[in-house]
Amino acid sequence: SDTVSPVILQGLGDNERMRQEAIFELVQTEQSYVDSLNLVVEVLTSMRGFCDCFVLHAFWWQIFMEPMEANHILEQDELDAVFVNWKELIASNYKLLKALNVRLKVHEGEPIPMIGDILCEMLPRLTAYIRFCSRQLNACNVLQSKNSPALREFETVCAQDSRTGGLRLSSFLLKPMQRVTKYPPLVQK
């Protein structure tokens, strides 16, 4: 574990050591997941030059959706179907990550006594997943049925961005479903 010193871990029993490692795994994977959600925002926002008609707006989905709609890459209803409630996912997971990081900071250099209280408070607030996951099949169908050269080119440009690690947009759209299924095993640890 990166945040509990090896000296402290050595003084713990096997069960407590495994519990501490599970806590830090949860925090680290939550950070990675939130970073992935935000990466979609960063990559799409940085592609302002892809279409000539970018009009700057305060929110990333407007920056992305308007040019995609204006260039008939995806229509507004298709964009809504693909990204559903992405900003809600970011907001809810950011709150969870922030609460976990505060707990780590408070107990820096010592075992974390508990995170169950945070999970009990925050996991019920992750209701954005119900909406997102229930519409994921439709989102995939929209992307698959829209077999336009403009969409393929746009996805290729996104995948070529070094920050995406070569992953296509559809891979990032699966991350929320993958993440929500990982909470039970992580909590059980």
Side-chain angles (χ1 to χ4, degrees), residues 50-178:
F50 183 78
C51 302
D52 323 356
C53 65
F54 266 95
V55 176
L56 293 180
H57 292 277
F59 302 104
W60 74 270
W61 61 91
Q62 290 172 324
I63 292 171
F64 176 61
M65 289 183 179
E66 270 192 19
M68 293 290 281
E69 186 177 19
N71 288 292
H72 304 288
I73 296 171
L74 291 178
E75 300 299 326
Q76 184 63 50
D77 62 326
E78 295 168 321
L79 289 163
D80 292 342
V82 169
F83 290 100
V84 188
N85 58 340
W86 198 263
K87 67 180 180 115
E88 290 176 52
L89 295 175
I90 292 173
S92 61
N93 282 88
Y94 177 76
K95 288 175 187 173
L96 173 59
L97 179 61
K98 185 176 177 182
L100 291 169
N101 280 328
V102 166
R103 182 64 51 88
L104 290 179
K105 187 85 170 154
V106 167
H107 296 282
E108 192 170 349
E110 61 186 54
I112 308 303
M114 69 176 171
I115 61 164
D117 59 324
I118 294 171
L119 296 175
C120 286
E121 179 185 341
M122 298 304 246
L123 289 181
R125 295 182 182 180
L126 298 180
T127 56
Y129 283 92
I130 296 169
R131 183 169 174 221
F132 186 86
C133 292
S134 69
R135 296 184 182 179
Q136 191 56 206
L137 183 59
N138 183 49
C140 291
N141 288 337
V142 167
L143 286 176
Q144 288 175 353
S145 69
K146 192 75 173 188
N147 195 16
S148 72
L151 178 60
R152 286 194 307 273
E153 181 183 352
F154 189 82
E155 284 192 309
T156 299
V157 171
C158 285
Q160 290 172 345
D161 188 305
S162 62
R163 297 170 293 178
T164 66
L167 295 177
R168 301 183 71 72
L169 178 60
S170 55
S171 296
F172 283 95
L173 292 173
L174 289 175
K175 285 188 179 280
M177 287 183 59
Q178 293 168 337

